[in-house]
Amino acid sequence: MRAGAGLTATLHRPSTLQPCVLCSLRCHKTRPPPIPKVLYRGAKSRTTLQLTDLPQNVIRSEKLVKLKENEGPVYPTVLRQVRSNMQKFENCVILTRVGGFYELYFEHAEEYGPLLNLKVAQKPTLAGPVSMSGFPFYQLDRFLKILVQDLNKYVGISEEFANNALAKVKSGGLLFDRKVTRIITPGTLIDEKFMDPYENNYLLAIQPKGTTLHSCSDEIPAELIKDTMHPELAAQSVGLAWLDLSTGDFFTQASTMGGLPSAVARIGAREIVLSDSNDKSLQQSILSIFENERHLVTYQSPPPEELPFTAWTPMLDTAVLVEKEDVFSAGEIAAGSLLLNYVKEKLQGLGIKLQPPRRRQESETMGIDRSSLKGLEILETSKDGRGGGKGSLLHTVRRTVTQSGARLLKNWIASPSTSLQTVNSRLDLVSHFFYDLALRERITNSLRRSFDSQRLAQKFSMGRGDGDDLVSLLRTIEATNEIVGVLGNHVSSSGTVTGAKSHTLLTQDSVQSLILRMSFDAPNALASRIAMAIDEDGMTQNKRNEEIHIEGVTSMDQDTLQNQGSSEDLDAISHVTGSKGVAKSTAEHDVADDDTWVMRKNANYILQRLHGDLDHLRQKKIRLTTDLREKLRTQSLTLRWSPSSGHVCHVKGVKDVRTSFQTSASAQDIKSTKSTRSFYQSEWSRLGGEIDQAKSQIRAEEQRLFQDLREQVVLNLVDLRRNAAVLDELDIACSFAVLAEEQGFVRPVMNLGTNHKIIGGRHPTVKLGLEEQGRTFVSNDCFIGGEERIWLITGPNMAGKSTFLRQNALITVLAQVGSFVPAEHAEIGIVDQIFSRVGSADNLFRDQSTFMVEMLETAAILKLATARSFVIMDEVGRGTTPEDGIAVSFGCLHHLYYTNRCRTLFATHFHALADMTQSFRNLGCYCTDVAEGHSDSFSYVHRLRRGVNRNSHALKVARLAGKISKLNLLNLIAQFSTGIPELAISTAQEVLDTFGSKAGESTQDSAMQAATA
């Protein structure tokens, strides 16, 4: 090798071999020569090297070391956090907060991304691509509604928490740690925007006591008993506990396995919690009850030992007295412990203050079983199954003006009172507002200005209330004071109120008792503190600023959604976006523009002093602006701030920009054009920092003051909830008075007897439906109990038998709820249970025919009805042969008459029953009829009369079906008519004539013989 000419250097040959860095062998690699400090390069030259001149050696291979599984490529720390949360909460959909988005990863993105209509992308990592999808943070409620309410999924919300210095080192420099702060399930909603404000969101826990099961007799076919319950199992005690996290309501009840279906139907829970330690066979018996209702059932491990009442106290706003613990059954305590343990786990440490548990006793409310709730359409219609849907009793009578009042009304209608004192007290209150229109209107107007204080108070108890909620609470307290003032003046001005028509003196006790239940001092003090602290104008402006910020974020999302999103995503974005402008907070702006405060400047001494300091700094800013304009000779100069640049001086205009370069050439420029220039100025940077510090201190003090107000709300929870309960009752009383005035309802006379005396009764929902069609409703009387405990009702199809049965049951429900009733006069003895066997339904999934379902419902009535019950039965026995049907019907009548001895309305087409029950002295026969006209025309006579109608006129109804079909389908092709063909009707008429002259007589004779036997 030749050294290049003109290159002055000294080559040092190493004396020993050096280890090779690549193969750890001593090969002929030499250290590079030391580089001289100065090199003198001469003419260019070429250096040549032969391949044989290169040092050669053998490279020995070593056996590869097998890597352990955990030594391979790993996911980034954020994804490892996500995977850890997914494993810890394996039954939840994990939504992870990453900046301004909530994101789904791994299999959750693949499974739920398409269901949420989100694009699923692949995030590249060293460990391989990871599926991901997400949505902006402000759309959380929209996607929670789909996941929780529509899909019945459990959702874990993983939020960001800033890491301290040590945590940053451990996490590899991550600014945030991500932890699941709450698990949202259908039964644990708190204040989500998609919650129905008119419905309670109950979470129910069921805990049976004992696990002994008994099998039914092998002599009964399995297909007949598999859906029935053994008497000993039906009598087994069960504890119920349910709560609504959004209001803090907490209830318990002792029931039985047999009464469980009705209790669950009445409560209407969104989610049911069962212990995973229950006996499997017992668990299956409970699940079979919910199978048809599609309830969401969750399994929860019970606490190691049942929590005593003392352990419940931290979760209650008032401690439960130890001596009251004996009032609750062991099943109720076990269910309550299971329920609170489940809630505590889902809230992940979030504080909660529930109301003390209120014990419901079955004897205190009217029993309405599951089939009766459906058949009478009390809460929902059988057609659409929607709670409070049009056509239901709840929808018909609801005139409440508050959301919490509507929720309480539903609870009352589902559980009418059996206490004569309670019912009369409610009726007294309704009477006050019925006869005093001015009083009612003033109360109603004040109620309209109130807010849902039940849910407001609960939000604060969980640390979730904001400034708007404080103002809403303030308005509610003000409305409460107005109402109390109106009622107080009403009580003091007159001792009694006289009804102009009924001439009945109504005492003031009901109004006075409401006033005495309310608390004023502490809530009024709280309202004063809120009014003195909250700046509503500033809060409104602050909300506008937040909306502008969201608009800015939304505008940045739209370009992405145009390419990757769906039309539904764009629609959702458009609802949020109010303008196309970019958020002002992202650009330079004057410092004073965003000075919005949610607290008044004089809310306390500290804020007053801090605002004084800030005003002083602002004056210094004004003087600095004037000085700089004179010094730099630029009148357009303004002092600004931006998130990216901080405090800067801004000049606009070509002339001023040119002048500023001349007068402040040494200033550090940020951005400059021909017409604008932004640059730093030391005095403004220092003064701007002082202003920022002053604002930061004000915001910190506002936050401290706001937290103090939150704590004050929590301290007043008991009083606020008590007052809210009174407002709800007033709302219902006023709504019942409005309803009575609109529909001509009258006050029922309630007593402890066993008689029904209803004159001119009407069906509350059918009447409204007929009036919408321009038709009138025919009222009917009902006198059952005493001399005639049972009415046997016959008559033609479509003549109103079923309507008559239902209307009297609904009148009874309304009366014991505390409402006036649709009648001209009503005297009703308190009913302990209402049973109805109406309509037809099957359950083919569980091998239950229409007749089998009918018999199961009939069996429950005959077993459970007492002398104080009210039973309506419609066409029992119609699902089998006439002979068997007559036998079944007579057996039911016989049992109701001699064993149950309850008030009963029994409608049938088996006319022979009238002859078979001639010996029943306390049974009366009544019927509807048909008025014959010319040319085969007829009309229904809906008015009941004493007697038996032995002709059901079924063929007239069949012919009418064809006429109605043609009328409704006038513009359609005649061949699509659904009427029964005339040939079929004429053939049936011939058979009926033959049966009437021959078979009918023999059937009647055989029926009489069976009855007398």
Side-chain angles (χ1 to χ4, degrees), residues 872-892:
I872 62 171
M873 305 189 78
D874 190 12
E875 299 185 26
V876 174
R878 62 182 169 181
T880 183
T881 64
E883 292 79 8
D884 290 344
I886 291 173
V888 169
S889 298
F890 179 75
C892 293

Side-chain angles (χ1 to χ4, degrees), residues 30 51 205 323 481 494 551 558 581 681 754 814 850 945 972:
T30 60
L51 181 62
E323 53 267 23
N481 289 332
S494 60
E551 289 171 6
Q558 284 185 343
Q681 205 278 338
T754 57
L814 284 177
T850 303
R945 64 176 176 84
L972 298 178

Side-chain angles (χ1 to χ4, degrees), residues 23 114 233 478 491 659 833 961 997:
C23 61
L233 176 60
E478 292 174 347
V491 171
T659 303
Q833 298 176 91
S997 60

Side-chain angles (χ1 to χ4, degrees), residues 52 190 339 369 385 452 493 571 593 611 765 829 884:
T52 56
I190 299 175
L339 182 66
D369 62 6
D452 194 344
S493 62
D571 291 340
D593 289 347
H611 277 288
T765 60
D884 290 344

Side-chain angles (χ1 to χ4, degrees), residues 307-327:
L307 300 177
F309 270 24
T310 54
W312 295 10
T313 301
M315 302 180 72
L316 306 177
D317 61 18
T318 305
V320 180
L321 299 178
V322 178
E323 53 267 23
K324 287 189 176 182
E325 186 171 354
D326 295 336
V327 177

Side-chain angles (χ1 to χ4, degrees), residues 238-370:
V238 176
L240 305 178
W242 66 98
L243 58 81
D244 184 349
L245 275 181
S246 68
T247 63
D249 291 319
F250 185 15
F251 303 95
T252 68
Q253 178 181 325
S255 185
T256 61
M257 287 289 291
L260 191 56
S262 300
V264 172
R266 187 192 72 249
I267 295 169
R270 288 281 286 118
E271 182 181 358
I272 296 175
V273 180
L274 299 178
S275 172
D276 57 10
S277 63
N278 287 334
D279 181 84
K280 291 184 179 179
S281 55
L282 183 60
Q283 201 87 289
Q284 189 60 38
S285 299
I286 298 176
L287 290 177
S288 65
I289 296 173
F290 310 138
E291 194 171 45
N292 297 332
E293 306 302 322
R294 298 181 180 178
H295 287 290
L296 176 64
V297 178
T298 303
Y299 292 95
Q300 170 73 10
S301 298
E305 57 184 14
E306 293 179 1
L307 300 177
F309 270 24
T310 54
W312 295 10
T313 301
M315 302 180 72
L316 306 177
D317 61 18
T318 305
V320 180
L321 299 178
V322 178
E323 53 267 23
K324 287 189 176 182
E325 186 171 354
D326 295 336
V327 177
F328 296 84
S329 67
E332 291 173 277
I333 296 176
S337 299
L338 180 68
L339 182 66
L340 295 179
N341 190 50
Y342 179 78
V343 169
K344 194 173 182 180
E345 178 183 297
K346 299 309 176 189
L347 294 182
Q348 292 290 298
L350 186 65
I352 181 176
K353 289 294 181 183
L354 301 171
Q355 299 181 46
R358 285 173 282 176
R359 190 168 191 264
R360 290 277 184 87
Q361 296 185 11
E362 293 182 349
S363 60
E364 295 177 349
T365 58
M366 177 194 293
I368 308 177
D369 62 6
R370 180 172 57 183

